[in-house]
Amino acid sequence: MTFIDYSTADVLTILSRVKSEPSDKIESETIEFKEFSSESSLHGSKELAEEICALANCQGGVLIVGVRDTSNLQSKDLKSQLVGFQEVDTAETEKRINGKLQNLVNLRIENINFEDKNYVAVYVMHNLESLVTTTSGKICIREGRDSRPMTPEEVERAVKSLQNYDWSADILQRVELSALDEEHVKEAFVMYKSLMKQEVAPSKDNFLVAFSLGDLKNYGSL
């Protein structure tokens, strides 16, 4: 999976697109727009927390406050989607958002000026250590342009993709201790590499030591 890290320049490019494209067509698995009437309504929004939860549990992304949904336009002028939003105290907004989530999310919040209007960009990093849930217990995920609660099966897969997941219990449940000959260990190592999904493949030495599978030289052909 590719993890997304947006910049100020990226947000300005996105806002430029909103001048001539429907906002709901620009939204994606990593881009979300929101419109709020005030800073207090932003801070109190449960929906905002769910959107950020979903981004953090997927590839990360950016949520831009100050863009109206195309379906809510009163005219056909797409530029009127750019409504803007008041400047916010970024530290306070970050605190309020994380207060609605069970696990702290790596956020960066920025006030951005675009054509004499302010917009608030909430940059969300993908969480590699744990799944993010809302204080109401929802574990959300992005699906296309929308966010939704994960199914139990999706939660299980997502947990197993985390960096700090304990694979020793899972692997040894699949391969009985009495059957740990060379071929079984090879199979377990292949499964381990596939499920870890790390950018750098785990080494066979670390795998064998982690699971106490004996003398490394016995499995030199892994």
Side-chain angles (χ1 to χ4, degrees), residues 134-157:
T134 67
T135 51
S136 62
K138 289 186 179 180
I139 306 175
C140 299
I141 191 173
R142 292 290 286 183
E143 186 174 62
R145 303 184 181 101
D146 301 313
S147 299
R148 63 169 176 79
M150 284 187 180
T151 66
E153 293 77 14
E154 287 170 334
V155 171
E156 181 179 3
R157 288 197 299 270

Side-chain angles (χ1 to χ4, degrees), residues 52 55 107 135 158 177:
I52 291 172
L55 289 169
L107 299 176
T135 51
L177 289 172

Side-chain angles (χ1 to χ4, degrees), residues 18-203:
V18 175
K19 293 170 61 177
S20 58
E21 299 178 45
S23 61
D24 56 358
K25 301 299 182 183
I26 298 174
E27 287 182 323
S28 67
E29 287 190 348
T30 60
I31 300 172
E32 176 69 27
F33 296 127
K34 286 292 176 214
E35 181 187 8
F36 293 102
S37 59
S38 65
E39 188 172 1
S40 61
S41 64
L42 182 154
H43 289 166
S45 173
K46 293 182 179 179
E47 182 184 1
L48 177 65
E50 291 173 7
E51 298 285 8
I52 291 172
C53 171
L55 289 169
N57 286 332
C58 292
Q59 302 178 68
V62 63
L63 186 149
I64 304 172
V65 179
V67 178
R68 179 166 294 168
D69 190 274
T70 311
S71 63
N72 293 329
L73 293 181
Q74 296 181 348
S75 69
K76 294 183 179 181
D77 181 9
L78 293 178
K79 290 182 181 179
S80 62
Q81 296 174 129
L82 294 165
V83 294
F85 192 71
Q86 67 188 90
E87 287 193 19
V88 300
D89 180 327
T90 56
E92 179 65 18
T93 298
E94 179 180 340
K95 178 181 175 182
R96 293 293 191 96
I97 290 173
N98 268 315
K100 291 183 172 57
L101 301 170
Q102 292 285 9
N103 298 311
L104 290 179
V105 178
N106 187 358
L107 299 176
R108 182 168 65 88
I109 299 175
E110 182 180 25
N111 292 297
I112 296 178
N113 182 278
F114 177 74
E115 296 189 350
D116 297 326
K117 290 181 181 177
N118 185 68
Y119 298 84
V120 177
V122 182
Y123 304 96
V124 184
M125 296 299 293
H126 172 67
N127 196 324
L128 295 170
E129 301 299 326
S130 61
L131 285 183
V132 177
T133 68
T134 67
T135 51
S136 62
K138 289 186 179 180
I139 306 175
C140 299
I141 191 173
R142 292 290 286 183
E143 186 174 62
R145 303 184 181 101
D146 301 313
S147 299
R148 63 169 176 79
M150 284 187 180
T151 66
E153 293 77 14
E154 287 170 334
V155 171
E156 181 179 3
R157 288 197 299 270
V159 167
K160 289 185 175 182
S161 71
L162 298 172
Q163 283 187 345
N164 61 355
Y165 183 76
D166 180 8
W167 286 104
S168 58
D170 191 71
I171 294 293
L172 293 178
Q173 286 174 1
R174 299 165 188 254
V175 182
E176 294 183 5
L177 289 172
S178 61
L180 284 177
D181 59 16
E182 183 174 351
E183 290 304 314
H184 283 92
V185 174
K186 286 181 181 179
E187 292 176 7
F189 182 54
V190 171
M191 182 187 303
Y192 174 80
K193 289 194 295 183
S194 173
L195 293 173
M196 283 295 284
K197 298 179 181 177
Q198 293 181 341
E199 292 185 7
V200 178
S203 71

